[in-house]
Short mmCIF file of all heavy atoms in Angstrom, two decimals:
data_model
loop_
_atom_site.label_atom_id
_atom_site.label_comp_id
_atom_site.label_asym_id
_atom_site.label_seq_id
_atom_site.Cartn_x
_atom_site.Cartn_y
_atom_site.Cartn_z
N ARG A 48 2.00 11.82 -2.46
CA ARG A 48 2.27 10.51 -3.11
C ARG A 48 3.73 10.22 -3.06
O ARG A 48 4.56 11.04 -3.39
CB ARG A 48 1.80 10.51 -4.56
CG ARG A 48 0.29 10.75 -4.67
CD ARG A 48 -0.12 10.53 -6.06
NE ARG A 48 0.06 9.12 -6.40
CZ ARG A 48 -0.90 8.39 -6.95
NH1 ARG A 48 -2.08 8.93 -7.16
NH2 ARG A 48 -0.68 7.16 -7.26
N PRO A 50 7.06 8.69 -4.29
CA PRO A 50 7.60 8.48 -5.65
C PRO A 50 7.49 7.04 -6.10
O PRO A 50 7.24 6.73 -7.25
CB PRO A 50 9.04 8.94 -5.55
CG PRO A 50 9.08 9.85 -4.39
CD PRO A 50 8.02 9.42 -3.43
N HIS A 51 7.68 6.10 -5.17
CA HIS A 51 7.60 4.68 -5.55
C HIS A 51 6.18 4.27 -5.92
O HIS A 51 5.95 3.40 -6.76
CB HIS A 51 8.10 3.79 -4.42
CG HIS A 51 9.57 3.96 -4.18
ND1 HIS A 51 10.54 3.54 -5.07
CD2 HIS A 51 10.26 4.54 -3.14
CE1 HIS A 51 11.74 3.81 -4.60
NE2 HIS A 51 11.61 4.44 -3.41
N ALA A 52 5.18 4.92 -5.32
CA ALA A 52 3.79 4.58 -5.62
C ALA A 52 3.46 4.89 -7.08
O ALA A 52 2.75 4.15 -7.76
CB ALA A 52 2.85 5.36 -4.68
N VAL A 53 3.91 6.00 -7.61
CA VAL A 53 3.68 6.34 -9.01
C VAL A 53 4.27 5.30 -9.94
O VAL A 53 3.68 4.85 -10.90
CB VAL A 53 4.26 7.74 -9.30
CG1 VAL A 53 4.13 8.07 -10.78
CG2 VAL A 53 3.57 8.79 -8.47
N TRP A 54 5.44 4.86 -9.59
CA TRP A 54 6.12 3.86 -10.46
C TRP A 54 5.38 2.55 -10.44
O TRP A 54 5.18 1.90 -11.46
CB TRP A 54 7.56 3.68 -9.94
CG TRP A 54 8.36 2.76 -10.83
CD1 TRP A 54 9.05 3.07 -11.93
CD2 TRP A 54 8.51 1.36 -10.64
NE1 TRP A 54 9.65 2.01 -12.47
CE2 TRP A 54 9.33 0.88 -11.67
CE3 TRP A 54 8.03 0.47 -9.66
CZ2 TRP A 54 9.70 -0.42 -11.78
CZ3 TRP A 54 8.40 -0.85 -9.80
CH2 TRP A 54 9.23 -1.30 -10.85
N TYR A 55 4.91 2.15 -9.22
CA TYR A 55 4.16 0.88 -9.12
C TYR A 55 2.88 0.91 -9.96
O TYR A 55 2.52 -0.05 -10.61
CB TYR A 55 3.79 0.59 -7.65
CG TYR A 55 4.99 0.21 -6.79
CD1 TYR A 55 4.99 0.49 -5.44
CD2 TYR A 55 6.10 -0.43 -7.37
CE1 TYR A 55 6.07 0.15 -4.65
CE2 TYR A 55 7.18 -0.77 -6.57
CZ TYR A 55 7.17 -0.48 -5.20
OH TYR A 55 8.22 -0.81 -4.41
N GLY A 56 2.14 2.00 -9.91
CA GLY A 56 0.89 2.08 -10.71
C GLY A 56 1.14 1.97 -12.19
O GLY A 56 0.42 1.29 -12.93
N SER A 57 2.17 2.67 -12.65
CA SER A 57 2.50 2.59 -14.08
C SER A 57 2.88 1.19 -14.49
O SER A 57 2.48 0.68 -15.55
CB SER A 57 3.62 3.58 -14.41
OG SER A 57 3.22 4.89 -14.09
N ALA A 58 3.64 0.53 -13.64
CA ALA A 58 4.09 -0.83 -13.97
C ALA A 58 2.92 -1.78 -14.06
O ALA A 58 2.84 -2.64 -14.94
CB ALA A 58 5.10 -1.30 -12.91
N ILE A 59 1.95 -1.62 -13.10
CA ILE A 59 0.78 -2.51 -13.13
C ILE A 59 -0.02 -2.31 -14.41
O ILE A 59 -0.50 -3.25 -15.05
CB ILE A 59 -0.10 -2.26 -11.88
CG1 ILE A 59 0.64 -2.75 -10.64
CG2 ILE A 59 -1.44 -2.97 -12.03
CD1 ILE A 59 -0.06 -2.41 -9.34
N GLY A 60 -0.20 -1.07 -14.88
CA GLY A 60 -0.94 -0.79 -16.12
C GLY A 60 -0.28 -1.41 -17.33
O GLY A 60 -0.92 -2.00 -18.20
N VAL A 61 1.06 -1.25 -17.37
CA VAL A 61 1.81 -1.82 -18.51
C VAL A 61 1.67 -3.32 -18.53
O VAL A 61 1.47 -3.96 -19.57
CB VAL A 61 3.28 -1.38 -18.45
CG1 VAL A 61 4.09 -2.14 -19.50
CG2 VAL A 61 3.39 0.11 -18.67
N LEU A 62 1.75 -3.95 -17.33
CA LEU A 62 1.63 -5.41 -17.25
C LEU A 62 0.25 -5.87 -17.73
O LEU A 62 0.11 -6.88 -18.41
CB LEU A 62 1.87 -5.88 -15.81
CG LEU A 62 3.33 -5.79 -15.34
CD1 LEU A 62 3.42 -6.15 -13.87
CD2 LEU A 62 4.22 -6.72 -16.16
N ALA A 63 -0.79 -5.09 -17.35
CA ALA A 63 -2.15 -5.47 -17.79
C ALA A 63 -2.28 -5.41 -19.30
O ALA A 63 -2.88 -6.29 -19.94
CB ALA A 63 -3.17 -4.55 -17.12
#
Side-chain angles (χ1 to χ4, degrees):
R48 298 189 66 129
H51 292 292
V53 175
W54 184 86
Y55 289 151
S57 300
I59 291 174
V61 171
L62 289 174

